């Protein structure tokens, strides 16, 4: 499934009126071949794009040559070049949603690298989570991500969207059944994200974060 991305606006936060739509970056956490996350992201991004208070961009690390970290702390030259293109897209976002599977009670290594290779881009912004998996619905991955984002001075919203036994929930045409319940969960998450996103955008504009 292909996902359309939207170029990030170049307007500085301080130049935006408080009523301007929030710039939401939806990040696909899995880069595995045959990954299921693209279907979940497609559904969630579609729901988010129905809202006039959001401008949505999908960030897909699978389209970037991001290597797994080796024995050194810093990424290789190819990854460093990719990060130069990715960094302004993350910096321009007012809020984030991470779509993550659960791998062995946690989240993917590629997602950890993407998070760790940035810092200021995450600070003083809100993040929400959409998870999927088996019986746990990916929620154990979300709990680990909350700890990581807290270290990066990111505010994580309480409510999540979680798909238990996700492989039975989606078909070629998208979400199967129970769409009303999933849509309500997405609305709750996005309502919280918009509240925090507006509050933190105004705060950053008036008082640059120094954490």
């Amino acid at each position: 499934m292909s996902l359309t991305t939207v170029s990030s606006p170049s307007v500085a936060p301080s130049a935006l009126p408080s009523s301007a739509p929030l710039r939401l970056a939806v990040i696909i956490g899995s880069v595995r071949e045959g990954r299921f996350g693209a279907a979940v992201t497609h559904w969630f991004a579609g729901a988010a794009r129905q809202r006039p208070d959001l401008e949505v961009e999908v960030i897909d690390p699978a389209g970037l040559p991001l290597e797994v970290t080796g024995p050194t702390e810093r990424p290789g030259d190819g990854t460093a070049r990719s990060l130069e293109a990715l960094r302004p897209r993350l910096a321009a976002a007012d809020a984030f949603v991470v779509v993550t599977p659960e791998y062995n009670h946690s989240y993917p290594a590629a997602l950890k690298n993407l998070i760790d290779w940035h810092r200021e881009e995450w600070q003083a912004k809100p993040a929400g989570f959409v998870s999927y998996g088996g019986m746990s619905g990916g929620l154990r991955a979300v709990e680990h991500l909350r700890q990581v984002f807290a270290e990066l001075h990111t505010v994580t919203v309480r409510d999540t969207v979680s798909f238990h036994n996700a492989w039975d929930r989606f078909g070629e045409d998208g979400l199967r059944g129970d769409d009303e319940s999933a849509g309500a969960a997405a609305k709750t998450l996005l309502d919280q994200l918009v509240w925090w996103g507006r509050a933190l955008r105004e705060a950053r504009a008036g008082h640059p974060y120094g954490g």
Side-chain angles (χ1 to χ4, degrees):
M1 178 180 295
S2 62
L3 293 168
T4 302
T5 59
V6 179
S7 299
S8 300
S10 58
V11 181
S14 58
L16 292 169
S18 59
S19 60
L22 289 174
R23 297 173 295 202
L24 173 64
V26 180
I27 301 169
I28 307 179
S30 173
V31 299
R32 281 185 178 179
E33 184 178 354
R35 62 189 175 168
F36 190 77
V40 180
T41 302
H42 182 79
W43 171 83
F44 181 79
R49 287 186 174 120
Q50 299 301 310
R51 298 178 61 117
D53 51 4
L54 292 172
E55 292 179 355
V56 181
E57 177 182 15
V58 173
I59 293 179
D60 186 356
L64 304 169
L66 300 179
E67 310 138 339
V68 175
T69 303
T72 60
E73 178 183 355
R74 299 184 182 279
D77 292 342
T79 294
R81 286 190 292 271
S82 292
L83 294 177
E84 285 303 312
L86 177 61
R87 186 166 288 112
R89 296 167 67 191
L90 295 175
D94 296 306
F96 306 99
V97 167
V98 178
V99 181
T100 184
E102 183 177 315
Y103 294 168
N104 298 321
H105 284 219
S106 195
Y107 55 93
L111 178 57
K112 184 69 164 74
N113 282 339
L114 185 147
I115 294 169
D116 287 350
W117 285 333
H118 300 88
R119 188 166 185 84
E120 291 83 2
E121 294 78 8
W122 308 117
Q123 290 183 345
K125 298 177 182 179
F129 304 101
V130 177
S131 66
Y132 59 95
M135 291 298 294
S136 72
L139 291 174
R140 291 174 291 206
V142 170
E143 292 309 306
H144 286 187
L145 283 165
R146 290 189 189 280
Q147 298 176 59
V148 173
F149 276 112
E151 179 65 18
L152 292 168
H153 301 247
T154 305
V155 177
T156 61
V157 300
R158 178 192 180 279
D159 286 76
T160 64
V161 179
S162 175
F163 291 102
H164 303 257
N165 298 318
W167 300 270
D168 299 329
R169 302 285 305 279
F170 286 84
E172 292 183 1
D173 297 328
L175 187 63
R176 290 196 190 109
D178 199 23
D179 187 58
E180 184 175 343
S181 175
K187 181 181 184 304
T188 298
L189 184 156
L190 289 169
D191 284 347
Q192 293 175 7
L193 204 65
V194 166
W195 191 95
W196 280 104
R198 284 176 173 164
L200 291 172
R201 182 172 66 183
E202 291 180 14
R204 292 195 311 275
H207 306 281
Y209 188 72

